[in-house]
Amino acid sequence: METITKTYNEAVATAVLDGLKAKEKSLPSWLFYDKKGDKLFQQIMRMPEYYLTDTEKEIIENNRDNFLEDFKGKDKKFDLVELGAGDGTKTEILLRHFCVQNADFRYIPIDISSDVLGDLKNRLSKRLPDLTVLPKPKSFYDALDDLDKKDSKKRVLLFMGGNIGNFTLEGATDFITELSKRLRTEDELFVGFDLKKDPRQIQLAYDDSQGITRAFNLNLLERLNTELDADFDISKFDHYPFYNPETGEAKSYLVSQEDQEVYFGVLDEKIVFDQWELIYTEISQKYDLDMISKMAEKAGLKIYRKYFDRKKYFCNIIFKK
Ligand code: AVI
């Protein structure tokens, strides 16, 4: 009899088995972003509870001129290097303004996905035809190491959207340190940090009334059903976000509603879940200025400028060597 072997992504399988076989179960948050997950995340960014989008947008809209002055090199030129193409809405506000002001700059978006970069380039070529866009479909570090060493033009690295929060504090410090090693004297690093605030406000951002974040988290299991032929019964897991106002850690979990077993067809592996057992799926670290200063110091960087929204919910910081 002919056997049909389903092809699957090794990296996904390894990450999933490592995470689910560990004593404290976890799944990596990069698994959120399949086609459905991308759509759900777009919806999250538009929800009223998810204040991060509007607060960073407010900062950018109110400070477009300041940013242009901050970013320009001594010769007035600069390269804007974005880490992660994201959905681009906030970056587009900056790009449009810089184009209108006739700034002498190029936009270099870095993303591991060439599809995402292709879409971005097409969109920008229609909306901002005069802008020079040089996409780099590579990992962040590889792309940065690949930038022309002889080009002395000032570089501004952008890491927006509060994405830094998806690292643990230690992971974020390591990441910023790696970026710092790649910055030259004139270069800058521009990062968006979501700040500590009323815990209820944060809890709501990750536990919205429409259940979009719940669907986003549970979609991880649907993805494993599709890609690894798993038999998760989604109705037997729930979304459980928890914010610790002291540490600033907003962590999301999936909680098993009963004792159960899940079989992964393509891997011929079985995973057992106890009732109320957790799967840790994401951290969204919130910061205060003290934490940011300490991180900068460890990474060998100085805080050059701080920009806040009116409510001081979010902060965009420019670091320099
Ligand atoms: C992408 N990142 C900044 C989002 C966050 O707030 O941590 C991802 C997200 N997860 C649930 N809601 C939004």
Side-chain angles (χ1 to χ4, degrees):
M1 202 177 74
E2 194 192 345
T3 45
I4 301 166
T5 4
K6 187 174 167 176
T7 55
Y8 61 91
N9 182 321
E10 284 285 348
V12 171
T14 310
V16 168
L17 283 187
D18 285 355
L20 294 184
K21 284 184 171 180
K23 199 160 165 280
E24 290 185 1
K25 292 186 171 62
S26 67
L27 286 169
S29 53
W30 53 262
L31 276 176
F32 284 131
Y33 302 95
D34 64 355
K35 261 212 170 80
K36 183 168 173 200
D38 284 346
K39 279 215 180 93
L40 286 165
F41 183 56
Q42 296 294 325
Q43 276 176 264
I44 288 177
M45 287 198 295
R46 290 194 294 268
M47 329 182 295
E49 292 97 329
Y50 196 70
Y51 59 83
L52 284 83
T53 317
D54 287 345
T55 46
E56 191 179 40
K57 197 164 158 213
E58 179 189 321
I59 297 174
I60 291 178
E61 278 177 340
N62 290 342
N63 294 286
R64 290 177 289 197
D65 286 320
N66 295 330
F67 291 146
L68 183 54
E69 284 316 305
D70 292 334
F71 293 173
K72 273 186 199 162
K74 278 193 223 83
D75 57 1
K76 308 268 182 237
K77 300 179 183 179
F78 61 101
D79 277 338
L80 208 51
V81 182
E82 180 152 35
L83 306 170
D87 84 319
T89 333
K90 281 169 278 179
T91 314
E92 209 178 303
I93 299 173
L94 275 184
L95 298 174
R96 169 158 291 114
H97 183 69
F98 294 172
C99 287
V100 170
Q101 297 299 314
N102 279 319
D104 191 349
F105 79 110
R106 302 183 302 178
Y107 176 53
I108 308 180
I110 300 177
D111 202 286
I112 202 75
S113 158
S114 41
D115 287 351
V116 166
L117 288 176
D119 291 349
L120 177 68
K121 191 170 162 120
N122 283 340
R123 200 176 66 231
L124 289 175
S125 69
K126 283 187 203 114
R127 298 199 196 174
L128 300 170
D130 296 333
L131 176 68
T132 307
V133 184
L134 301 170
K136 298 255 172 246
K138 289 189 174 198
S139 74
F140 293 162
Y141 301 149
D142 285 351
L144 290 175
D145 292 340
D146 217 41
L147 294 174
D148 186 357
K149 304 253 175 335
K150 286 186 225 116
D151 187 349
S152 60
K153 200 184 311 142
K154 178 175 174 183
R155 283 178 198 140
V156 180
L157 309 189
L158 302 181
F159 194 55
M160 296 175 14
N163 290 335
I164 191 83
N166 297 131
F167 288 108
T168 59
L169 199 50
E170 208 191 336
T173 309
D174 291 346
F175 178 62
I176 298 287
T177 306
E178 284 305 316
L179 297 183
S180 162
K181 284 183 199 158
R182 288 157 173 92
L183 291 186
R184 300 154 309 169
T185 326
E186 206 194 3
D187 295 345
E188 289 172 358
L189 169 64
F190 179 87
V191 183
F193 291 91
D194 190 19
L195 299 176
K196 288 183 176 176
K197 58 185 69 61
D198 183 345
R200 289 179 197 281
Q201 189 84 47
I202 293 177
Q203 190 72 26
L204 271 179
Y206 294 92
D207 202 7
D208 61 282
S209 52
Q210 293 176 77
I212 301 170
T213 314
R214 181 175 187 277
F216 179 68
N217 202 6
L218 285 165
N219 178 54
L220 271 181
L221 304 184
E222 283 178 36
R223 177 170 181 177
L224 304 189
N225 282 351
T226 315
E227 288 189 27
L228 301 179
D229 226 354
D231 60 1
F232 280 100
D233 178 345
I234 312 295
S235 67
K236 292 184 182 164
F237 286 86
D238 199 7
H239 168 59
Y240 183 68
F242 175 75
Y243 176 61
N244 179 333
E246 288 181 345
T247 62
E249 291 170 323
K251 290 186 168 179
S252 288
Y253 300 88
L254 290 163
V255 54
S256 175
Q257 303 296 103
E258 55 186 69
D259 288 341
Q260 53 183 318
E261 280 179 14
V262 174
Y263 180 68
F264 289 74
V266 294
L267 306 171
D268 193 23
E269 293 268 3
K270 188 182 73 185
I271 303 284
V272 174
F273 295 89
D274 295 333
Q275 189 178 32
W276 310 131
E277 191 176 355
L278 296 172
I279 310 173
Y280 165 50
T281 55
E282 188 182 42
I283 182 160
S284 302
Q285 177 70 49
K286 307 305 167 196
Y287 283 84
D288 57 37
L289 290 178
D290 194 42
M291 291 159 87
I292 300 173
S293 299
K294 287 197 177 112
M295 181 173 4
E297 202 182 315
K298 282 190 192 154
L301 290 172
K302 295 199 173 55
I303 295 179
Y304 172 62
R305 295 258 193 274
K306 293 185 217 124
Y307 291 95
F308 299 93
D309 60 294
R310 272 163 302 170
K311 291 190 195 150
K312 290 214 162 175
Y313 273 14
F314 201 90
C315 179
N316 284 93
I317 297 213
I318 302 181
F319 298 98
K320 273 188 145 189
K321 277 218 145 165

